[in-house]
Amino acid sequence: MKKTLTVTVLAATLLTSCVSKKKYVALEEDYNNTRSNLQQTQVEKEKLEERLNAIEQRVADYNSRINSLTEENDQKLEMNELTAMSNANKRKMRETLRKVDPAKLADAETLEDSINLAVAYNLESQISSGSSEDVDITVDKTVVMINVSDKLLFRSGSHRVSRDAYPLLEKLAEVINSEPAMEVMVEGHTDSQTMVENSYIQDNWELSVRRSTAIVRLLQDRFNVDPEKLIAAGRSSYKPVADNDTRENRALNRRTRIVILPNLDKFLALLDSEQSAAQPVDSSNN
């Protein structure tokens, strides 16, 4: 009986040990499979991340290329009879031309005409606000000519600048100072009437020169324009814009012409319409 009991216990022990080992082997196999799957998933994840990074880099490269092409396109120059003009400046010109008097715009037949109109419009907005009747701005290629009547600048027969002209000259100085490469010539013009006898001014030559130098000195001393940019000249009565046969025509001939001589880049910079408009100027004389 004792021997039988011992054999039974031993058999039960062996059976129990055998079942536990199978479970262990199964668990170990599951563990190894899970670990293998995890490693494979990790490898696949890293590959996907590499592909994603590569895609993101390609997108970034494409965006950079697009931006580069846009910048290059804005700087791309179109040659024509007047100048080389960037697309960015052409956009500015079109924006300005929408504000120009349609009657003036109708006379523009070429790109040169359109550029001149745009530059003249912006300068007039910046300089002559409130005194347009006494200021006339024209553009010939890259030369800007601003004609200012003596009614605004001087008293009759005098070369002393009226204070009514200070706001206009201040705005002109801002335009000149905004572009380092500009040169400005100030020309004095008179009518054909001779000077009053015994006047301290000898003749119209002297009057025209004194008037131009008075403007130049104000631009330099009061409005901080670099004197190296300035040229003073007098034309006396020998460059009239009308016959000196009526009072009205003589008034037209009594004028100061301010000639802005920018280089090409600075000329196109005058298309910029972001500068603040001039304050209204009282054109009445003292």
Side-chain angles (χ1 to χ4, degrees):
M1 181 72 179
K2 184 175 179 182
K3 184 177 180 181
T4 303
L5 181 61
T6 302
V7 170
T8 302
V9 171
L10 179 60
T13 302
L14 290 173
L15 182 61
T16 302
S17 174
C18 181
V19 171
S20 298
K21 185 175 181 180
K22 285 183 178 179
K23 286 184 178 179
Y24 172 80
V25 170
L27 289 174
E28 186 177 35
E29 184 177 354
D30 286 343
Y31 169 76
N32 290 333
N33 289 337
T34 302
R35 184 176 180 181
S36 176
N37 290 336
L38 179 61
Q39 290 175 341
Q40 184 176 355
T41 302
Q42 183 67 29
V43 170
E44 290 176 354
K45 179 189 175 202
E46 290 175 356
K47 288 181 178 179
L48 288 173
E49 286 179 345
E50 289 178 1
R51 290 179 61 188
L52 178 61
N53 291 336
I55 292 172
E56 288 178 343
Q57 184 61 48
R58 288 175 64 187
V59 170
D61 291 342
Y62 283 141
N63 287 334
S64 177
R65 180 77 182 276
I66 291 170
N67 292 334
S68 175
L69 289 174
T70 301
E71 292 174 1
E72 288 177 8
N73 192 47
D74 279 345
Q75 297 302 322
K76 187 177 180 180
L77 301 180
E78 177 181 297
M79 301 304 299
N80 58 74
E81 61 183 355
L82 170 68
T83 183
M85 189 176 186
S86 71
N87 289 332
N89 275 328
K90 282 195 287 186
R91 284 196 297 270
K92 288 181 182 179
M93 184 186 71
R94 292 190 189 102
E95 291 170 3
T96 300
L97 290 177
R98 294 190 187 101
K99 308 171 190 175
V100 173
D101 183 352
K104 292 182 179 179
L105 193 57
D107 293 332
E109 298 179 353
T110 65
L111 177 60
E112 176 182 343
D113 294 337
S114 298
I115 294 174
N116 291 348
L117 275 175
V119 171
Y121 177 87
N122 278 343
L123 277 175
E124 188 170 356
S125 300
Q126 296 168 30
I127 294 174
S128 61
S129 177
S131 61
S132 57
E133 61 188 29
D134 297 312
V135 178
D136 177 59
I137 298 176
T138 58
V139 179
D140 182 12
K141 296 189 185 298
T142 61
V143 179
V144 180
M145 288 161 286
I146 306 170
N147 286 290
V148 187
S149 72
D150 276 8
K151 181 177 71 172
L152 177 62
L153 292 175
F154 304 102
R155 294 176 181 171
S156 179
S158 171
H159 65 276
R160 190 178 300 276
V161 180
S162 169
R163 287 190 172 272
D164 294 332
Y166 282 17
L168 170 67
L169 295 178
E170 182 177 13
K171 296 305 296 183
L172 175 63
E174 289 177 6
V175 172
I176 299 170
N177 289 335
S178 70
E179 301 297 344
M182 281 186 181
E183 285 193 348
V184 180
M185 180 167 62
V186 181
E187 290 182 351
H189 295 260
T190 70
D191 60 29
S192 61
Q193 289 189 326
T194 58
M195 299 299 301
V196 177
E197 197 171 335
N198 297 324
S199 169
Y200 68 96
I201 296 177
Q202 182 176 348
D203 55 21
N204 283 329
W205 277 113
E206 184 175 352
L207 178 61
S208 65
V209 172
R210 285 194 178 215
R211 285 181 168 177
S212 67
T213 53
I215 297 294
V216 164
R217 286 194 186 98
L218 268 177
L219 290 173
Q220 175 185 345
D221 298 338
R222 188 178 185 90
F223 301 116
N224 303 313
V225 175
D226 184 351
E228 292 184 359
K229 295 182 175 183
L230 299 172
I231 304 167
R235 303 300 295 269
S236 186
S237 60
Y238 299 108
K239 202 73 173 176
V241 293
D243 293 333
N244 285 287
D245 52 357
T246 66
R247 177 180 296 179
E248 291 76 15
N249 283 351
R250 287 193 293 272
L252 291 175
N253 289 330
R254 294 191 300 271
R255 69 199 189 280
T256 297
R257 189 171 78 147
I258 299 165
V259 183
I260 299 178
L261 307 166
N263 65 24
L264 184 58
D265 291 339
K266 303 309 177 184
F267 175 79
L268 292 176
L270 296 177
L271 287 167
D272 190 0
S273 60
E274 297 301 319
Q275 297 189 40
S276 58
Q279 296 296 319
V281 179
D282 181 5
S283 61
S284 61
N285 288 320
N286 290 333

